[in-house]
Amino acid sequence: MEQVWCKVDEYITDKLIPTDDVLEQALSKNKQAGLPEIDVSPAQGKMLYLLAKTKGARRILEIGTLGGYSTIWLARALEEDGELITLEAVSQHVEIAQQNINRAGLAERVTILQGKALDTLPQLKERDTLPFDLIFIDADKPNNPNYLKWALDFSKKGTVIIADNVVRNGSVIHAADQDERVKGTREFFDLLKQEPRIEATAIQTVGEKGYDGFVYGIVK
Ligand code: SAH
Ligand code: DHB
Ligand code: MG
């Protein structure tokens, strides 16, 4: 089946996602630098962009920048005077992402904060960017429950919270799995279930990035 998923992704990309030098160059620069190819796919990137547009987002928070591929999609959706803050732990990723973002002409709207997100998130309290309109969680999966708590603190009524990679080939249903990523994802779902401040769903996806899924939630 995986081959069909990839072919269909190619078909969708060909029909609906115009060739884009900036985004393609970002991916090739990432590859050249040896970054893992775990960015969102073009179709997913455009979905993030459309969701941010639907929301009319002025302030976006991203946790997990990598080379800035999803960052560029999201930042392009910002309303005029909007801004995006993205958090990344690995200095090499920050460097590559900054170059990709500069090339995209988005340097003024995007700020990358280097450091472990659990260290940089508290710093956001001192900025005048709170609350966010949209928060994209896409970093180390064991910390997803912590990221959700921070995201809720940085939200207002109507804030959209999206979390990537919540299905991971179906591993999410393996209760006895000792993998910290699986445990983190399951705790994330448990927290969503009991958390009165958010209504959420999760959608399974297939495509060039395999079989996975994302959580979409709105803060009450
Ligand atoms: N959002 C990107 C992909 C992010 S991959 C895209 O779709 O294009 C996950 C990123 O999270 C990696 O770059 C990794 O270095 C970063 N990361 C891992 N642990 C982190 C942490 N504790 N704090 C911040 N970033 C972290
Ligand atoms: C991983 C992280 C991601 O954000 C992703 O989309 C795929 C894989 C990972 O840490 O393995
Ligand atoms: Mg991801």
Side-chain angles (χ1 to χ4, degrees):
M1 277 308 283
E2 244 181 300
Q3 215 190 337
V4 181
W5 304 342
C6 286
K7 292 263 178 236
V8 173
D9 238 354
E10 270 173 39
Y11 176 83
I12 292 168
T13 305
D14 178 51
K15 293 288 177 195
L16 303 179
I17 303 178
T19 312
D20 186 313
D21 287 346
V22 165
L23 286 167
E24 274 157 33
Q25 218 187 338
L27 290 182
S28 67
K29 293 282 179 189
N30 293 355
K31 202 168 178 172
Q32 262 175 38
L35 269 49
E37 292 179 64
I38 55 175
D39 348 64
V40 293
S41 69
Q44 290 165 342
K46 187 157 183 191
M47 186 80 206
L48 289 172
Y49 161 90
L50 291 171
L51 291 170
K53 280 216 148 174
T54 304
K55 177 71 194 148
R58 287 201 142 72
R59 296 184 164 97
I60 298 178
L61 172 65
E62 176 179 67
I63 309 178
T65 318
L66 191 65
Y69 183 77
S70 55
T71 317
I72 293 171
W73 273 112
L74 283 167
R76 281 179 172 177
L78 283 168
E79 294 285 311
E80 215 150 303
D81 79 350
E83 64 177 312
L84 183 153
I85 296 177
T86 183
L87 311 181
E88 174 57 52
V90 178
S91 61
Q92 188 214 11
H93 297 183
V94 171
E95 227 171 89
I96 304 287
Q98 188 64 63
Q99 289 165 12
N100 288 332
I101 287 158
N102 294 350
R103 226 180 283 113
L106 293 165
E108 279 188 10
R109 289 160 167 233
V110 176
T111 305
I112 311 177
L113 294 184
Q114 188 179 332
K116 292 196 169 164
L118 288 181
D119 296 330
T120 50
L121 281 161
Q123 297 169 18
L124 296 180
K125 282 193 211 156
E126 285 133 44
R127 292 183 167 248
D128 55 4
T129 43
L130 304 179
F132 292 100
D133 302 307
L134 187 151
I135 300 174
F136 180 47
I137 301 173
D138 191 21
D140 49 325
K141 313 310 172 189
N143 271 318
N144 271 2
N146 294 323
Y147 296 151
L148 178 59
K149 287 178 204 155
W150 278 102
L152 287 165
D153 278 356
F154 290 167
S155 293
K156 60 183 171 187
K157 183 174 187 289
T159 294
V160 170
I161 298 179
I162 302 168
D164 195 22
N165 313 115
V166 299
V167 174
R168 295 303 278 273
N169 256 323
S171 60
V172 67
I173 60 169
H174 299 148
D177 199 319
Q178 289 309 300
D179 185 317
E180 294 301 325
R181 291 168 299 186
V182 175
K183 287 206 268 182
T185 303
R186 291 178 61 85
E187 277 169 38
F188 177 72
F189 273 101
D190 291 341
L191 199 56
L192 282 172
K193 180 175 179 179
Q194 63 164 64
E195 177 53 68
R197 286 178 289 174
I198 185 168
E199 340 183 59
T201 189
I203 295 295
Q204 303 181 70
T205 57
V206 295
E208 62 169 71
K209 300 289 170 170
Y211 166 38
D212 215 321
F214 63 91
V215 156
Y216 182 95
I218 298 184
V219 175
K220 289 200 225 167

